[in-house]
């Protein structure tokens, strides 16, 4: 009898553990605002569309903002915080190049949402939705976004160092950093595909164009014609911006991967995805099969959106995305 009671107790404990695990996994849900702000996705998409009609920079700047947010403190809109002391995440050196249009997109969307659903939808969720909308508006795949994130209570420049990939990272370095967030090598390659839109300053890749090594002044993985083109576009003592995708810079497609195969990856961390034999097959697959890229990108974006999220009674729902409520 005692043995049966013990077995029953063990079964109850196991069931509770499983239920708790499922509850933890299910804290984000696509229909999270179905009763509290049912039109939130429409409102955000309208705001993003309006911003896009004003400047095409909206798309790459918002996507990059989402990535930079999630990789530091998790997807909690901590990158949105403005500090009078200049010590918030956005003030760190690697974040100073984040275009203001990405911030403005989220701020405008938040204002529109607050007008109809005050104090309900987090800035973190609005950023996640806006990033998805940018992909779709640029011609990329549509996908559902899990919602229910809360906004973080910490935003410190000191937390950014070492948590964002550098333009000269090799595959091992990329894999190591992404693995910290439960992202695989396939996710690395897929998320890098966001570089099918946007641009980079010459200073981020100029070392590939001169004095690359003692054996080769120019990075040998660069297509010679493309290298010459870049040299002409990046004069000495100037730091203009260059499209990451020289073929279809304003369209979200798989041209990025075809560029890598052709030796036209702008950043070293782009081109290494093809140069390294471990990731080369995935690059070739995405270059030849846009459907495979789209599917992998959707999977990776949904995984990225779960990184370090605050839910339940964690964090807060900011009224103004740029400041903590208190």
């Amino acid at each position: 009898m005692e043995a049966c009671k013990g077995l029953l107790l063990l079964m109850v404990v196991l069931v509770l553990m499983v239920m708790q695990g499922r509850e933890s996994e299910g804290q984000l849900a696509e229909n999270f605002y179905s009763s509290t702000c049912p039109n939130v996705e429409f409102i955000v998409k309208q705001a993003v569309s309006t911003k896009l009609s004003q400047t095409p920079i909206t798309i790459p700047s918002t996507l990059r903002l989402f990535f930079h947010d999630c990789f530091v403190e998790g997807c909690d809109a901590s990158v949105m915080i403005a500090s009078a002391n200049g010590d918030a995440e956005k003030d760190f050196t690697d974040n100073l190049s984040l275009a203001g249009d990405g911030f403005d997109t989220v701020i405008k969307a938040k204002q529109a949402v607050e007008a109809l659903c005050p104090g309900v939808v987090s800035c973190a969720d609005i950023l996640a939705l806006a990033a998805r909308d940018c992909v779709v508006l640029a011609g990329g795949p549509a996908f559902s976004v899990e919602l229910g994130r809360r906004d973080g209570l910490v935003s410190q420049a000191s937390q950014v160092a070492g948590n964002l990939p550098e333009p000269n990272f090799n595959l091992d370095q990329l894999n190591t950093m992404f693995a910290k967030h439960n992202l695989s090598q396939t996710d690395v390659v897929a998320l890098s595909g966001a570089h099918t839109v946007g641009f980079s300053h010459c200073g981020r890749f100029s070392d590939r164009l001169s004095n690359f090594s003692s054996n080769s002044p120019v990075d040998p993985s660069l297509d010679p014609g493309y290298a010459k083109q870049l040299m002409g576009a990046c004069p000495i003592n100037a730091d203009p911006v260059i499209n990451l995708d020289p073929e279809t810079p304003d369209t979200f497609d798989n041209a990025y991967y075809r560029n890598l195969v052709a030796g036209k990856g702008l950043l070293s961390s782009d081109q290494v995805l093809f140069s390294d034999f471990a990731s080369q097959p995935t690059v070739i697959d995405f270059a030849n099969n846009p459907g495979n890229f789209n599917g992998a990108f959707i999977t990776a974006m949904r995984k990225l959106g779960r990184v370090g999220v605050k839910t339940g009674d964690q964090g807060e729902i900011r009224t103004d995305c740029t400041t903590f409520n208190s």
Side-chain angles (χ1 to χ4, degrees), residues 17 22-24 57 59 62-63 72-73 86 98 100-101 107 124 149 151 153 165 190 197 213 283 295 322 324:
M17 288 175 65
R22 287 179 177 172
E23 183 180 347
S24 175
I57 297 174
I59 288 172
T62 306
L63 271 172
V72 181
E73 297 289 345
L98 290 171
D101 292 295
I107 291 169
R149 302 167 190 79
D151 298 322
L153 299 173
V197 292
S213 71
V283 170
T322 65
F324 299 121

Side-chain angles (χ1 to χ4, degrees), residues 79-101:
V79 74
M80 295 292 301
I81 293 295
S83 167
N85 300 321
D87 58 358
E89 277 182 35
K90 66 181 295 186
D91 299 307
F92 187 75
T93 307
D94 285 357
N95 282 337
L96 293 178
S97 62
L98 290 171
D101 292 295

Side-chain angles (χ1 to χ4, degrees), residues 256-277:
Y256 166 82
Y257 300 101
R258 296 196 299 271
N259 293 336
L260 299 187
V261 174
K264 295 181 180 180
L266 187 64
L267 306 178
S268 178
S269 56
D270 288 323
Q271 193 59 50
V272 75
L273 300 178
F274 179 74
S275 302
D276 195 304
F277 292 123

Side-chain angles (χ1 to χ4, degrees), residues 194-260:
H195 283 179
T196 187
V197 292
F199 47 83
S200 177
H201 285 269
C202 287
R204 303 286 281 178
F205 58 85
S206 58
D207 60 333
R208 303 183 69 199
L209 304 178
S210 62
N211 302 315
F212 179 73
S213 71
S214 57
N215 298 322
S216 176
V218 178
D219 185 343
S221 68
L222 269 175
D223 171 77
Y226 184 51
K228 187 175 181 179
Q229 177 185 334
L230 292 176
M231 290 175 193
C234 294
I236 298 175
N237 299 324
D239 193 25
V241 295
I242 306 296
N243 288 326
L244 287 160
D245 176 354
E247 303 301 325
T248 58
D250 298 319
T251 303
F252 196 98
D253 55 21
N254 68 327
Y256 166 82
Y257 300 101
R258 296 196 299 271
N259 293 336
L260 299 187

Side-chain angles (χ1 to χ4, degrees), residues 1 66 78 123 142 145 158 160 183-184 218-219 248 276 314 318:
M1 190 68 169
F66 180 59
S78 51
C123 299
V145 176
S158 59
V160 182
L183 295 166
S184 68
V218 178
D219 185 343
T248 58
D276 195 304
Q314 299 172 319
R318 281 183 222 141

Side-chain angles (χ1 to χ4, degrees), residues 54-71:
Q54 298 166 355
T55 172
I57 297 174
T58 298
I59 288 172
S61 61
T62 306
L63 271 172
R64 189 163 179 246
L65 188 65
F66 180 59
F67 181 87
H68 279 231
D69 181 49
C70 292
F71 262 47

